[in-house]
Amino acid sequence: MRRAGYNQQWRDPNTDKFVRLLPEAFKLRPIDKGALSVTWLEYFGLDYDANVIASITKISKCMPSSQKDAVFAVAQVCAIKAAAKARGSSVRVVYHPSDCNPAHAVILQLNDSDVALLDELAKNVFAHDIRWRNGKSAA
Amino acid sequence: MWPDTRSKADDQTPLSVSFPALHARGTTRLTGHVPKFGAEISASPNVRHFHVLKEVSAQDSVASLLFNALADAKILTSNVAMVLDDKWRRGFFAKLDRLHDIENWEEGNMPVQKASVHTLLRAMILWRPKKAAALGLSFRGNLIAAWQDELDSRLVIEFLPDDTVTYILTAPDGDIEGRHSGNGRSASLQKLLSPFPQVGWFDFA
């Protein structure tokens, strides 16, 4: 699961309704130190929906600000890897618990200068299940 | 509709629109400081000293950072309002406000940068988009505009300093999505898009 704030979302210009993520949602910031932050759903060992809710809850607790319009997008590891491979690169998805989030993981070796890859992640890979903070579907 | 400046004299064409320096307008910048009078600190029985304590909470600091960035962006935009579509300008201001909502603000991100606003404004004057764009903001404070059509063709452009844009165009190509990306000056977008039907999304000056 990847969290994306309001500024990284594609919102309808007339209604401000959520459409999808922007490629920017997968850009690496200096604070990321080359590792894109995600959360591993299966860590919680529950059924899918409960894992999603637990992940959202954990990520939200770790956010320093409220970020009321953040969305939480789910993707399969195999799809992330396949997208990178199709672009001639490879990524690793590694479990990397943090003090705040025991389900924290990272995507390593992501070439975030490959805008086409980021667009694929935004449009297709992280597009099938996107939720609001309350767990309801955003798309 | 975008004001038609194409028939005017050369010194009034969109390409020669100038962007006066922000500080020439004598803007006032907020500091986010909330002065409070401090307690007496001197031990002297005859002389009493008071210090003015400046307390700056993290929230105040972020709020003033966002406020100043918004003010700069809107003042820069107002300087060229005469060549902007009025409806577009109002929508742009409203979106800037939402992008800088403190309840959505992510720590460590940069607010909108003047240099990016400058590039976007120049681009909008040159490109005269026929469709409204979604607007986002990169963590570096660069504006991002995105257009799509009913066939799910998409164009996402990031406005960098120095009149530079990066773009990615995605369009259905049979049963796959074709992607074309690159960068260049805002004036070169027409040439970059010319092989594609999406060039019709703009009324290039």
PDB file of all heavy atoms in Angstrom, chain A residues 40-64:
ATOM      1  N   TRP A  40       3.220  -3.264   3.962  1.00  0.00           N
ATOM      2  CA  TRP A  40       2.981  -4.651   3.588  1.00  0.00           C
ATOM      3  C   TRP A  40       1.670  -5.107   4.244  1.00  0.00           C
ATOM      4  O   TRP A  40       1.600  -5.289   5.460  1.00  0.00           O
ATOM      5  CB  TRP A  40       4.174  -5.479   4.078  1.00  0.00           C
ATOM      6  CG  TRP A  40       4.075  -6.953   3.852  1.00  0.00           C
ATOM      7  CD1 TRP A  40       3.462  -7.592   2.817  1.00  0.00           C
ATOM      8  CD2 TRP A  40       4.618  -7.975   4.691  1.00  0.00           C
ATOM      9  NE1 TRP A  40       3.593  -8.943   2.949  1.00  0.00           N
ATOM     10  CE2 TRP A  40       4.311  -9.218   4.095  1.00  0.00           C
ATOM     11  CE3 TRP A  40       5.361  -7.969   5.874  1.00  0.00           C
ATOM     12  CZ2 TRP A  40       4.694 -10.425   4.657  1.00  0.00           C
ATOM     13  CZ3 TRP A  40       5.741  -9.177   6.425  1.00  0.00           C
ATOM     14  CH2 TRP A  40       5.402 -10.396   5.815  1.00  0.00           C
ATOM     15  N   LEU A  41       0.652  -5.317   3.409  1.00  0.00           N
ATOM     16  CA  LEU A  41      -0.674  -5.631   3.945  1.00  0.00           C
ATOM     17  C   LEU A  41      -0.682  -6.944   4.726  1.00  0.00           C
ATOM     18  O   LEU A  41      -1.267  -7.025   5.818  1.00  0.00           O
ATOM     19  CB  LEU A  41      -1.692  -5.730   2.793  1.00  0.00           C
ATOM     20  CG  LEU A  41      -2.510  -4.489   2.504  1.00  0.00           C
ATOM     21  CD1 LEU A  41      -1.642  -3.343   2.047  1.00  0.00           C
ATOM     22  CD2 LEU A  41      -3.579  -4.784   1.450  1.00  0.00           C
ATOM     23  N   GLU A  42      -0.061  -7.960   4.172  1.00  0.00           N
ATOM     24  CA  GLU A  42      -0.173  -9.302   4.761  1.00  0.00           C
ATOM     25  C   GLU A  42       0.481  -9.404   6.134  1.00  0.00           C
ATOM     26  O   GLU A  42       0.273 -10.395   6.847  1.00  0.00           O
ATOM     27  CB  GLU A  42       0.443 -10.358   3.823  1.00  0.00           C
ATOM     28  CG  GLU A  42      -0.425 -10.680   2.619  1.00  0.00           C
ATOM     29  CD  GLU A  42      -0.179  -9.735   1.462  1.00  0.00           C
ATOM     30  OE1 GLU A  42       0.600  -8.765   1.645  1.00  0.00           O
ATOM     31  OE2 GLU A  42      -0.744  -9.961   0.379  1.00  0.00           O
ATOM     32  N   TYR A  43       1.228  -8.377   6.520  1.00  0.00           N
ATOM     33  CA  TYR A  43       1.845  -8.389   7.846  1.00  0.00           C
ATOM     34  C   TYR A  43       0.806  -8.620   8.930  1.00  0.00           C
ATOM     35  O   TYR A  43       1.060  -9.308   9.930  1.00  0.00           O
ATOM     36  CB  TYR A  43       2.571  -7.056   8.101  1.00  0.00           C
ATOM     37  CG  TYR A  43       2.990  -6.863   9.536  1.00  0.00           C
ATOM     38  CD1 TYR A  43       4.211  -7.378  10.000  1.00  0.00           C
ATOM     39  CD2 TYR A  43       2.157  -6.199  10.444  1.00  0.00           C
ATOM     40  CE1 TYR A  43       4.585  -7.219  11.320  1.00  0.00           C
ATOM     41  CE2 TYR A  43       2.536  -6.038  11.769  1.00  0.00           C
ATOM     42  CZ  TYR A  43       3.754  -6.547  12.197  1.00  0.00           C
ATOM     43  OH  TYR A  43       4.131  -6.393  13.510  1.00  0.00           O
ATOM     44  N   PHE A  44      -0.390  -8.067   8.722  1.00  0.00           N
ATOM     45  CA  PHE A  44      -1.396  -8.102   9.775  1.00  0.00           C
ATOM     46  C   PHE A  44      -2.108  -9.450   9.867  1.00  0.00           C
ATOM     47  O   PHE A  44      -2.835  -9.710  10.836  1.00  0.00           O
ATOM     48  CB  PHE A  44      -2.402  -6.965   9.569  1.00  0.00           C
ATOM     49  CG  PHE A  44      -1.753  -5.610   9.638  1.00  0.00           C
ATOM     50  CD1 PHE A  44      -1.415  -4.916   8.476  1.00  0.00           C
ATOM     51  CD2 PHE A  44      -1.445  -5.028  10.861  1.00  0.00           C
ATOM     52  CE1 PHE A  44      -0.796  -3.668   8.547  1.00  0.00           C
ATOM     53  CE2 PHE A  44      -0.837  -3.796  10.938  1.00  0.00           C
ATOM     54  CZ  PHE A  44      -0.495  -3.111   9.771  1.00  0.00           C
ATOM     55  N   GLY A  45      -1.921 -10.303   8.843  1.00  0.00           N
ATOM     56  CA  GLY A  45      -2.423 -11.666   8.931  1.00  0.00           C
ATOM     57  C   GLY A  45      -3.929 -11.806   8.983  1.00  0.00           C
ATOM     58  O   GLY A  45      -4.450 -12.805   9.496  1.00  0.00           O
ATOM     59  N   LEU A  46      -4.657 -10.855   8.447  1.00  0.00           N
ATOM     60  CA  LEU A  46      -6.123 -10.889   8.495  1.00  0.00           C
ATOM     61  C   LEU A  46      -6.653 -11.140   7.078  1.00  0.00           C
ATOM     62  O   LEU A  46      -5.869 -11.395   6.167  1.00  0.00           O
ATOM     63  CB  LEU A  46      -6.640  -9.552   9.038  1.00  0.00           C
ATOM     64  CG  LEU A  46      -6.039  -9.103  10.367  1.00  0.00           C
ATOM     65  CD1 LEU A  46      -6.399  -7.647  10.664  1.00  0.00           C
ATOM     66  CD2 LEU A  46      -6.540 -10.017  11.495  1.00  0.00           C
ATOM     67  N   ASP A  47      -7.951 -11.062   6.896  1.00  0.00           N
ATOM     68  CA  ASP A  47      -8.455 -11.139   5.529  1.00  0.00           C
ATOM     69  C   ASP A  47      -8.135  -9.828   4.814  1.00  0.00           C
ATOM     70  O   ASP A  47      -7.724  -8.848   5.443  1.00  0.00           O
ATOM     71  CB  ASP A  47      -9.968 -11.432   5.495  1.00  0.00           C
ATOM     72  CG  ASP A  47     -10.816 -10.332   6.105  1.00  0.00           C
ATOM     73  OD1 ASP A  47     -10.657  -9.147   5.728  1.00  0.00           O
ATOM     74  OD2 ASP A  47     -11.645 -10.661   6.977  1.00  0.00           O
ATOM     75  N   TYR A  48      -8.353  -9.827   3.500  1.00  0.00           N
ATOM     76  CA  TYR A  48      -7.866  -8.705   2.694  1.00  0.00           C
ATOM     77  C   TYR A  48      -8.378  -7.362   3.191  1.00  0.00           C
ATOM     78  O   TYR A  48      -7.588  -6.432   3.423  1.00  0.00           O
ATOM     79  CB  TYR A  48      -8.264  -8.912   1.225  1.00  0.00           C
ATOM     80  CG  TYR A  48      -7.891  -7.747   0.345  1.00  0.00           C
ATOM     81  CD1 TYR A  48      -6.579  -7.561  -0.078  1.00  0.00           C
ATOM     82  CD2 TYR A  48      -8.852  -6.794  -0.025  1.00  0.00           C
ATOM     83  CE1 TYR A  48      -6.235  -6.466  -0.859  1.00  0.00           C
ATOM     84  CE2 TYR A  48      -8.507  -5.696  -0.813  1.00  0.00           C
ATOM     85  CZ  TYR A  48      -7.198  -5.548  -1.220  1.00  0.00           C
ATOM     86  OH  TYR A  48      -6.854  -4.465  -1.989  1.00  0.00           O
ATOM     87  N   ASP A  49      -9.684  -7.244   3.358  1.00  0.00           N
ATOM     88  CA  ASP A  49     -10.238  -5.945   3.747  1.00  0.00           C
ATOM     89  C   ASP A  49      -9.734  -5.501   5.117  1.00  0.00           C
ATOM     90  O   ASP A  49      -9.454  -4.321   5.337  1.00  0.00           O
ATOM     91  CB  ASP A  49     -11.773  -5.994   3.754  1.00  0.00           C
ATOM     92  CG  ASP A  49     -12.354  -5.725   2.364  1.00  0.00           C
ATOM     93  OD1 ASP A  49     -11.668  -5.056   1.560  1.00  0.00           O
ATOM     94  OD2 ASP A  49     -13.474  -6.196   2.081  1.00  0.00           O
ATOM     95  N   ALA A  50      -9.617  -6.449   6.036  1.00  0.00           N
ATOM     96  CA  ALA A  50      -9.121  -6.109   7.363  1.00  0.00           C
ATOM     97  C   ALA A  50      -7.657  -5.689   7.288  1.00  0.00           C
ATOM     98  O   ALA A  50      -7.220  -4.789   8.011  1.00  0.00           O
ATOM     99  CB  ALA A  50      -9.298  -7.294   8.311  1.00  0.00           C
ATOM    100  N   ASN A  51      -6.881  -6.351   6.428  1.00  0.00           N
ATOM    101  CA  ASN A  51      -5.483  -5.952   6.228  1.00  0.00           C
ATOM    102  C   ASN A  51      -5.406  -4.533   5.690  1.00  0.00           C
ATOM    103  O   ASN A  51      -4.540  -3.739   6.095  1.00  0.00           O
ATOM    104  CB  ASN A  51      -4.792  -6.886   5.240  1.00  0.00           C
ATOM    105  CG  ASN A  51      -4.342  -8.195   5.875  1.00  0.00           C
ATOM    106  OD1 ASN A  51      -4.234  -8.283   7.101  1.00  0.00           O
ATOM    107  ND2 ASN A  51      -4.093  -9.194   5.074  1.00  0.00           N
ATOM    108  N   VAL A  52      -6.308  -4.198   4.760  1.00  0.00           N
ATOM    109  CA  VAL A  52      -6.316  -2.853   4.179  1.00  0.00           C
ATOM    110  C   VAL A  52      -6.611  -1.823   5.277  1.00  0.00           C
ATOM    111  O   VAL A  52      -5.912  -0.812   5.394  1.00  0.00           O
ATOM    112  CB  VAL A  52      -7.368  -2.755   3.048  1.00  0.00           C
ATOM    113  CG1 VAL A  52      -7.604  -1.300   2.648  1.00  0.00           C
ATOM    114  CG2 VAL A  52      -6.924  -3.580   1.842  1.00  0.00           C
ATOM    115  N   ILE A  53      -7.621  -2.084   6.066  1.00  0.00           N
ATOM    116  CA  ILE A  53      -8.010  -1.141   7.126  1.00  0.00           C
ATOM    117  C   ILE A  53      -6.884  -0.987   8.142  1.00  0.00           C
ATOM    118  O   ILE A  53      -6.555   0.121   8.583  1.00  0.00           O
ATOM    119  CB  ILE A  53      -9.307  -1.582   7.814  1.00  0.00           C
ATOM    120  CG1 ILE A  53     -10.457  -1.648   6.802  1.00  0.00           C
ATOM    121  CG2 ILE A  53      -9.653  -0.649   8.964  1.00  0.00           C
ATOM    122  CD1 ILE A  53     -10.763  -0.348   6.112  1.00  0.00           C
ATOM    123  N   ALA A  54      -6.286  -2.125   8.512  1.00  0.00           N
ATOM    124  CA  ALA A  54      -5.197  -2.081   9.487  1.00  0.00           C
ATOM    125  C   ALA A  54      -4.016  -1.287   8.952  1.00  0.00           C
ATOM    126  O   ALA A  54      -3.364  -0.530   9.688  1.00  0.00           O
ATOM    127  CB  ALA A  54      -4.766  -3.499   9.854  1.00  0.00           C
ATOM    128  N   SER A  55      -3.738  -1.449   7.674  1.00  0.00           N
ATOM    129  CA  SER A  55      -2.618  -0.724   7.055  1.00  0.00           C
ATOM    130  C   SER A  55      -2.899   0.772   7.039  1.00  0.00           C
ATOM    131  O   SER A  55      -2.027   1.585   7.378  1.00  0.00           O
ATOM    132  CB  SER A  55      -2.381  -1.243   5.629  1.00  0.00           C
ATOM    133  OG  SER A  55      -2.008  -2.601   5.638  1.00  0.00           O
ATOM    134  N   ILE A  56      -4.104   1.131   6.641  1.00  0.00           N
ATOM    135  CA  ILE A  56      -4.469   2.555   6.603  1.00  0.00           C
ATOM    136  C   ILE A  56      -4.350   3.154   8.010  1.00  0.00           C
ATOM    137  O   ILE A  56      -3.814   4.251   8.194  1.00  0.00           O
ATOM    138  CB  ILE A  56      -5.896   2.745   6.062  1.00  0.00           C
ATOM    139  CG1 ILE A  56      -5.959   2.362   4.580  1.00  0.00           C
ATOM    140  CG2 ILE A  56      -6.359   4.188   6.253  1.00  0.00           C
ATOM    141  CD1 ILE A  56      -7.362   2.346   4.009  1.00  0.00           C
ATOM    142  N   THR A  57      -4.838   2.420   8.987  1.00  0.00           N
ATOM    143  CA  THR A  57      -4.806   2.903  10.368  1.00  0.00           C
ATOM    144  C   THR A  57      -3.369   3.116  10.813  1.00  0.00           C
ATOM    145  O   THR A  57      -3.034   4.143  11.418  1.00  0.00           O
ATOM    146  CB  THR A  57      -5.501   1.908  11.302  1.00  0.00           C
ATOM    147  OG1 THR A  57      -6.840   1.706  10.843  1.00  0.00           O
ATOM    148  CG2 THR A  57      -5.520   2.420  12.726  1.00  0.00           C
ATOM    149  N   LYS A  58      -2.528   2.156  10.502  1.00  0.00           N
ATOM    150  CA  LYS A  58      -1.134   2.260  10.938  1.00  0.00           C
ATOM    151  C   LYS A  58      -0.418   3.400  10.233  1.00  0.00           C
ATOM    152  O   LYS A  58       0.289   4.188  10.856  1.00  0.00           O
ATOM    153  CB  LYS A  58      -0.417   0.927  10.674  1.00  0.00           C
ATOM    154  CG  LYS A  58       1.017   0.896  11.165  1.00  0.00           C
ATOM    155  CD  LYS A  58       1.159   1.247  12.622  1.00  0.00           C
ATOM    156  CE  LYS A  58       0.574   0.172  13.511  1.00  0.00           C
ATOM    157  NZ  LYS A  58       0.843   0.475  14.961  1.00  0.00           N
ATOM    158  N   ILE A  59      -0.603   3.521   8.923  1.00  0.00           N
ATOM    159  CA  ILE A  59       0.046   4.608   8.169  1.00  0.00           C
ATOM    160  C   ILE A  59      -0.435   5.960   8.680  1.00  0.00           C
ATOM    161  O   ILE A  59       0.351   6.890   8.898  1.00  0.00           O
ATOM    162  CB  ILE A  59      -0.264   4.487   6.657  1.00  0.00           C
ATOM    163  CG1 ILE A  59       0.330   3.200   6.089  1.00  0.00           C
ATOM    164  CG2 ILE A  59       0.300   5.695   5.901  1.00  0.00           C
ATOM    165  CD1 ILE A  59      -0.132   2.914   4.660  1.00  0.00           C
ATOM    166  N   SER A  60      -1.730   6.076   8.926  1.00  0.00           N
ATOM    167  CA  SER A  60      -2.303   7.359   9.372  1.00  0.00           C
ATOM    168  C   SER A  60      -1.741   7.758  10.724  1.00  0.00           C
ATOM    169  O   SER A  60      -1.469   8.933  10.975  1.00  0.00           O
ATOM    170  CB  SER A  60      -3.826   7.263   9.444  1.00  0.00           C
ATOM    171  OG  SER A  60      -4.369   6.966   8.170  1.00  0.00           O
ATOM    172  N   LYS A  61      -1.540   6.798  11.587  1.00  0.00           N
ATOM    173  CA  LYS A  61      -1.007   7.117  12.917  1.00  0.00           C
ATOM    174  C   LYS A  61       0.425   7.613  12.810  1.00  0.00           C
ATOM    175  O   LYS A  61       0.895   8.375  13.654  1.00  0.00           O
ATOM    176  CB  LYS A  61      -1.061   5.875  13.811  1.00  0.00           C
ATOM    177  CG  LYS A  61      -2.395   5.634  14.449  1.00  0.00           C
ATOM    178  CD  LYS A  61      -2.321   4.531  15.503  1.00  0.00           C
ATOM    179  CE  LYS A  61      -3.704   4.374  16.158  1.00  0.00           C
ATOM    180  NZ  LYS A  61      -3.787   3.187  16.997  1.00  0.00           N
ATOM    181  N   CYS A  62       1.127   7.166  11.790  1.00  0.00           N
ATOM    182  CA  CYS A  62       2.533   7.546  11.642  1.00  0.00           C
ATOM    183  C   CYS A  62       2.700   8.864  10.898  1.00  0.00           C
ATOM    184  O   CYS A  62       3.808   9.379  10.810  1.00  0.00           O
ATOM    185  CB  CYS A  62       3.297   6.451  10.905  1.00  0.00           C
ATOM    186  SG  CYS A  62       3.407   4.916  11.833  1.00  0.00           S
ATOM    187  N   MET A  63       1.632   9.424  10.347  1.00  0.00           N
ATOM    188  CA  MET A  63       1.752  10.676   9.607  1.00  0.00           C
ATOM    189  C   MET A  63       1.819  11.836  10.586  1.00  0.00           C
ATOM    190  O   MET A  63       1.009  11.918  11.494  1.00  0.00           O
ATOM    191  CB  MET A  63       0.559  10.861   8.664  1.00  0.00           C
ATOM    192  CG  MET A  63       0.554   9.865   7.530  1.00  0.00           C
ATOM    193  SD  MET A  63      -0.562  10.298   6.181  1.00  0.00           S
ATOM    194  CE  MET A  63      -2.116  10.503   7.023  1.00  0.00           C
ATOM    195  N   PRO A  64       2.757  12.767  10.370  1.00  0.00           N
ATOM    196  CA  PRO A  64       2.874  13.887  11.302  1.00  0.00           C
ATOM    197  C   PRO A  64       1.722  14.886  11.202  1.00  0.00           C
ATOM    198  O   PRO A  64       1.442  15.599  12.143  1.00  0.00           O
ATOM    199  CB  PRO A  64       4.205  14.545  10.905  1.00  0.00           C
ATOM    200  CG  PRO A  64       4.469  14.089   9.503  1.00  0.00           C
ATOM    201  CD  PRO A  64       3.813  12.758   9.346  1.00  0.00           C
TER     202      PRO A  64
END
